Amino acid sequence: MDTPASYPILATRIGKKPLVYLDNAATTQKPARVVECEREFYEKLNSNIHRGAHYLSRLATEEHEKARATVASFLHAASEKEIVFTAGTTAGINLVAQVLALSPLISAGDEILVTTDAHHSNIVPWQMLCQRTGAVLRPIPLTESLEFDMPAYLSMLGNRTRIVAVPYISNALGVINPVPQIIEAAKRNNASTLVLVDGAQSTAHMPVDVQTLGCDFYVFSGHKVYGPTGTGILWGKEELLAQLPPWQGGGEMIKEVSFTGTTYNDLPFKYEAGTPNICGNIVLAEALRYVQEQGLAAIDAHEQMLTHRMFDGLTALGGINILGPKEGRGALLSVVIPGVHHYDLGTLLDQMGIAVRTGHHCCQPLMQYLGITGTTRYSFALYNTADEVDQALACTERALNMLR
C-alpha cells in the first residue's frame, strides 16, 4: 500500500502538529504522480480536442479518448460509448434527471424511490423531475440499525415504480447498501424500471462491474478517487443513452446544424456539449490507473482495518453513539455524542491537527429522520495509517474531556 510520503500535501503541519487527514469522504488528497500529470498536460499537450488538425490537438485528442477507455475498463463497461465525462456525481445525476424529464419514460403518477440516507444530489434533481412531470418521490426507510430496509423497499415496488436511485455507500452513515439485491428486485418487479447507483463513496474503495450489477446508470466524482475536482463520470447503458434526448446544446454534441434543424452526434459526444475538462479527464484516468495499481481488494482490506480500529477505539471511550453497525460499512464513521456539539468537537480536533468533517453532510432529510442536527465524521483512504487512527482517538478523548 502506498504511503503518505507519496502525497505532498500530507506533509502539512497544523501549527506544530502533523496533519492527520480524515476527511476523505469529502475529497481525497492526490498522489504526486497525479499532480505531475496535470502539470505535464499544460506543459506538453494543452490544446482543444476533436476539431483541430494540428499536432497538439491530435495529441490531446488521443490522450483524452485514451482516458475514456481507461474509465470504461475501470468500470467494466461494455463500450467506451457508455462513458460520459461530467463535472462530478452531482452533474451526472442532474444530467440523467433532466433528460428523463424531457423523455416520454416518466409521466404523472409515476414513482421514484430514493433512500432516506441519500445525499442531496440524489434527492433534489429527482424532486425537480417530479415538479416537471407530476411524478412522485418516495423515500425508502431505514431499519432500527440504520441499514437499508429491504422488506419495506419490496413492499414499495409497484407498477408505477419508474426509477430507483441509491448510494452504494452512505456518505453520512458509511453503511454499504445491498445494491445488487436492490437492482435485482427492481428489475424483477418491472424490467423497465431504471436504477441509478450513486458511486461517489464506493468507487475509490471497492471494485465496480456495472455489467454484473445490472444497473442502468452509475455515477461518481473524480475528486473522491484521488483525481481532480470538477471531474466525474456518468456511465449509462448504450441503448438507453442512445434513446434519451440530449441535455445541453452546443459544439461537439452535433453532427449538422442549420436554422431549420439540428442532427445530434453519436454517443458519448451527444452528452458532452462544448469544450470538456480535457486536462481534468486525462488526470482522472491517471488517478484510476493509480488505484488499479494499488489494488482495490488491498485498499479495501487496509481501510477496513483502519475503520474497525477506529470503531473499537471510539467504543472504548464510552458515551459515543456510532451511527450504523460495525460490519457492512465503508471506510467512514459518523458519531453523535450527547452533550457535545459536532462543530465544537471538529474545531478542537482541527487545533490538534486532526481533519474531520462536521455537519449534516448534505443529508438533511436523514438528520431530520434521526432527530439530530449533524455528526462528526471520520473517513479513511489508502494513505491513512494505524498510527493516525491512534492519534485521532487520543485527540478525540482529549477533546471530549474538555467539552464534557
Side-chain angles (χ1 to χ4, degrees):
M1 192 60 55
D2 209 350
T3 67
S6 297
Y7 293 76
I9 199 170
L10 295 181
T12 300
R13 299 188 72 83
I14 312 300
K16 296 183 179 180
K17 308 249 183 339
L19 170 66
V20 175
Y21 186 81
L22 301 181
D23 192 22
N24 297 285
T27 197
T28 53
Q29 299 302 342
K30 321 307 173 193
R33 62 183 271 186
V34 170
V35 176
E36 177 66 13
C37 182
E38 180 161 348
R39 186 185 68 81
E40 284 191 356
F41 173 83
Y42 286 116
E43 288 187 350
K44 299 177 181 179
L45 296 176
N46 184 41
S47 178
N48 215 320
I49 59 174
H50 295 143
R51 296 177 291 277
H54 59 81
Y55 174 75
L56 285 179
S57 181
R58 291 196 302 273
L59 285 182
T61 298
E62 181 180 344
E63 289 303 312
H64 190 262
E65 294 313 305
K66 281 183 181 177
R68 196 186 306 274
T70 296
V71 177
S73 174
F74 188 87
L75 295 179
H76 298 90
S79 168
E80 294 168 24
K81 295 179 181 179
E82 298 179 328
I83 303 300
V84 178
F85 287 114
T86 71
T89 301
T90 299
I93 297 174
N94 274 276
L95 190 162
V96 173
Q98 291 189 35
V99 298
L100 286 173
L102 297 171
S103 80
L105 299 180
I106 309 296
S107 58
D110 287 344
E111 295 182 347
I112 302 170
L113 307 186
V114 300
T115 55
T116 295
D117 61 357
H119 190 280
H120 293 164
S121 64
N122 206 12
I123 298 174
V124 179
W126 305 119
Q127 289 178 328
M128 296 168 70
L129 183 152
C130 289
Q131 292 166 359
R132 292 166 180 161
T133 64
V136 178
L137 187 70
R138 299 183 64 195
I140 305 163
L142 301 173
T143 65
E144 288 186 5
S145 59
L146 302 184
E147 297 173 279
F148 185 88
D149 192 332
M150 184 62 75
Y153 167 64
L154 295 176
S155 71
M156 293 171 69
L157 291 170
N159 59 8
R160 298 308 299 268
T161 306
R162 293 291 177 269
I163 302 170
V164 177
V166 297
Y168 214 134
I169 298 177
S170 167
N171 77 295
L173 299 174
V175 175
I176 302 174
N177 288 317
V179 167
Q181 293 78 14
I182 292 169
I183 296 169
E184 191 276 331
K187 297 297 185 179
R188 185 174 65 246
N189 175 72
N190 185 339
S192 64
T193 297
L194 301 176
V195 182
L196 180 143
V197 177
D198 171 0
Q201 296 299 331
S202 57
T203 307
H205 308 283
M206 56 192 293
V208 177
D209 185 326
V210 290
Q211 294 187 76
T212 300
L213 277 179
C215 56
D216 299 282
F217 304 103
Y218 184 96
V219 293
F220 72 91
S221 298
H223 72 97
K224 296 182 189 289
V225 62
Y226 309 97
T229 55
T231 65
I233 298 298
L234 162 64
W235 169 86
K237 289 181 177 177
E238 183 177 350
E239 62 271 22
L240 186 55
L241 292 177
Q243 173 189 356
L244 291 169
W247 181 32
Q248 296 175 321
E252 193 59 36
M253 56 77 65
I254 50 85
K255 283 186 176 179
E256 299 289 340
V257 176
S258 73
F259 285 114
T260 58
T262 294
T263 303
Y264 301 123
N265 207 343
D266 298 327
L267 292 175
F269 309 112
K270 183 173 82 170
Y271 292 108
E272 294 180 354
T275 298
N277 186 352
I278 304 165
C279 177
N281 297 336
I282 291 171
V283 177
L284 169 57
E286 179 66 14
L288 295 182
R289 285 189 290 270
Y290 170 79
V291 170
Q292 287 178 313
E293 290 172 15
Q294 297 297 309
L296 280 160
I299 291 171
D300 179 59
H302 176 71
E303 292 173 342
Q304 286 296 310
M305 178 274 292
L306 299 175
T307 305
H308 284 112
R309 191 183 187 96
M310 178 63 86
F311 192 105
D312 292 341
L314 290 172
T315 301
L317 291 180
I320 298 175
N321 179 19
I322 305 172
L323 301 182
K326 180 177 180 179
E327 304 300 330
R329 68 163 56 248
L332 70 90
L333 298 166
S334 280
V335 303
V336 176
I337 304 170
V340 175
H341 196 279
H342 48 85
Y343 182 78
D344 293 337
L345 176 56
T347 299
L348 284 179
L349 288 175
D350 175 59
Q351 293 172 2
M352 300 176 196
I354 313 296
V356 297
R357 180 69 45 162
T358 65
H360 55 66
H361 315 299
C362 293
C363 291
Q364 288 179 315
L366 172 64
M367 299 300 147
Q368 294 162 6
Y369 181 87
L370 298 174
I372 59 178
T373 59
T375 74
T376 303
R377 185 181 70 188
Y378 306 79
S379 54
F380 307 100
L382 66 86
Y383 44 69
N384 290 124
T385 67
D387 285 345
E388 289 180 326
V389 170
D390 294 343
Q391 291 177 55
L393 287 167
C395 291
T396 298
E397 181 177 26
R398 180 182 171 193
L400 293 181
N401 287 336
M402 297 168 65
L403 293 169
R404 282 171 168 165

